[in-house]
């Protein structure tokens, strides 16, 4: 079953085409790394997956439905690249607030909050105001927020930004456990090494178009055709008119 289906999707802003003719699928339980430089169309694509933007052309389906439908959105966990949280809340209050917004039962919110604060190593800091958190700690709070409702699809925008090496390892292992549990993960990243370690497939964007879409297993990893080499080759292609 395909969790995501993008068919010839385009999105324009005035006279600028941010995404052009993008076709992409992602199967249940797979992890896709969505790569590209700044301005490649990654964030615009993510907003269409979340139903926050409508495509100018083509169709976007999530679980076979319109992503703008509330029932579809309930199955998606989203972590933005930069989250702005109320600074005087603590991490526990933050998760209680988001759980309430999602209509979750209070007992379930409390249980999930305890589990997730431990999973992202914020238990000891759970009662500190978010304004005292480092960037990496705020990133971990964002990860917990995205996982709170136990979503079937995780959409993560630059999830490794600001994480120290140990936190990266812990988060990588967490994503591997989620994949083993059957969760589907779509994440945008500039971190090629993490992408190669985690993903089943990668898609590389340049100026709104997808120039590479294939399984990580296709990459030899012998220095002649690894992910870094393919990424650089895509960026070196001549601009499409």
């Amino acid at each position: 079953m395909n969790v995501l289906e993008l068919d010839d999707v385009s999105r324009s802003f005035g006279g600028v085409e941010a995404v052009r003719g993008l076709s992409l699928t992602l199967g249940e339980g797979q992890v896709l790394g969505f790569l590209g430089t700044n301005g490649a169309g990654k964030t615009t694509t993510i907003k269409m997956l979340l139903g926050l933007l409508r495509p100018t052309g083509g169709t976007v389906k999530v679980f076979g439905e319109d992503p703008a439908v509330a029932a579809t959105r309930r199955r998606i966990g989203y972590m933005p690249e930069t989250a702005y949280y109320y600074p005087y809340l603590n991490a526990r209050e933050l998760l209680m607030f988001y759980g309430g917004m999602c209509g979750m039962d209070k007992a379930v919110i409390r249980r999930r909050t305890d589990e997730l604060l431990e999973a992202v190593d914020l238990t000891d800091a759970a009662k500190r105001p978010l304004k005292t958190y480092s960037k990496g700690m705020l990133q971990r709070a964002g990860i917990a927020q995205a996982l709170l409702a136990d979503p079937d699809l995780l959409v993560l925008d630059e999830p490794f930004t600001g994480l120290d090496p140990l936190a990266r390892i812990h988060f990588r292992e967490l994503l591997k456990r989620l994949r083993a549990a059957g969760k589907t993960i779509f994440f945008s990243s500039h971190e090629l090494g993490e992408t190669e370690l985690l993903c089943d497939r990668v898609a590389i964007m340049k100026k709104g178009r997808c120039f590479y879409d294939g399984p990580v297993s296709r990459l030899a990893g012998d220095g002649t055709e690894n992910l870094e080499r393919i990424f650089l080759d895509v960026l070196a292609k001549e601009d499409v008119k």
Side-chain angles (χ1 to χ4, degrees):
M1 171 189 173
N2 285 330
V3 172
L4 300 180
E5 293 182 351
L6 289 80
D7 184 16
D8 197 25
V9 170
S10 298
R11 173 67 199 200
S12 297
F13 297 93
V16 178
E17 263 194 311
V19 176
R20 296 188 276 174
L22 176 59
S23 294
L24 197 64
T25 61
L26 181 60
E28 186 175 1
Q30 291 185 333
V31 181
L32 174 71
F34 197 52
L35 309 179
T37 57
N38 292 332
K42 303 189 305 297
T43 298
T44 298
T45 301
I46 286 174
K47 288 180 178 179
M48 289 190 288
L49 290 177
L50 297 171
L52 301 176
L53 284 176
R54 290 288 189 182
T56 306
T59 59
V60 177
K61 296 290 185 183
V62 179
F63 301 109
E65 302 290 342
D66 183 341
V69 173
T72 303
R73 286 183 173 178
R74 289 191 190 101
R75 301 180 66 184
I76 304 173
Y78 171 54
M79 176 185 167
E81 179 179 3
T82 303
Y84 298 96
Y85 300 127
Y86 185 66
Y88 294 97
L89 291 177
N90 61 41
R92 187 173 297 278
E93 291 167 339
L94 177 76
L95 296 182
M96 291 296 293
F97 171 73
Y98 274 99
M101 288 184 64
C102 293
M104 296 173 62
D105 179 81
K106 287 185 179 180
V108 174
I109 299 173
R110 285 193 291 270
R111 175 176 57 79
R112 289 289 293 163
T113 294
D114 290 339
E115 294 171 352
L116 290 168
L117 290 175
E118 182 176 357
V120 300
D121 196 26
L122 284 178
T123 300
D124 291 342
K127 294 184 179 180
R128 283 173 45 190
L130 296 175
K131 68 176 183 175
T132 68
Y133 279 22
S134 67
K135 180 175 176 57
M137 293 172 74
L138 287 171
Q139 198 78 348
R140 284 184 274 153
I143 293 164
Q145 175 272 131
L147 293 171
L148 183 62
D150 195 21
D152 296 310
L153 169 65
L154 271 175
V155 178
L156 310 174
D157 196 354
E158 297 293 344
F160 292 97
T161 300
L163 297 182
D164 61 46
L166 184 59
R168 282 171 179 255
I169 292 170
H170 288 165
F171 184 45
R172 188 191 311 142
E173 293 305 311
L174 174 60
L175 292 182
K176 287 180 178 179
R177 292 196 299 273
L178 291 168
R179 177 176 59 185
K183 305 297 184 183
T184 304
I185 303 170
F186 179 106
F187 76 85
S188 167
S189 182
H190 293 301
E191 302 287 344
L192 300 185
E194 296 292 349
T195 301
E196 199 161 4
L197 286 170
L198 276 169
C199 294
D200 303 296
R201 288 177 43 229
V202 292
I204 302 177
M205 299 285 287
K206 180 183 178 183
K207 292 191 174 181
R209 296 190 63 180
C210 184
F211 278 80
Y212 181 88
D213 177 14
V216 171
S217 59
R218 184 185 301 171
L219 309 178
D222 59 2
T224 61
E225 197 186 16
N226 58 17
L227 180 54
E228 184 177 78
R229 176 72 62 183
I230 289 175
F231 185 75
L232 292 174
D233 287 346
V234 166
L235 297 187
K237 288 182 183 292
E238 292 185 5
D239 290 346
V240 176
K241 302 298 183 184

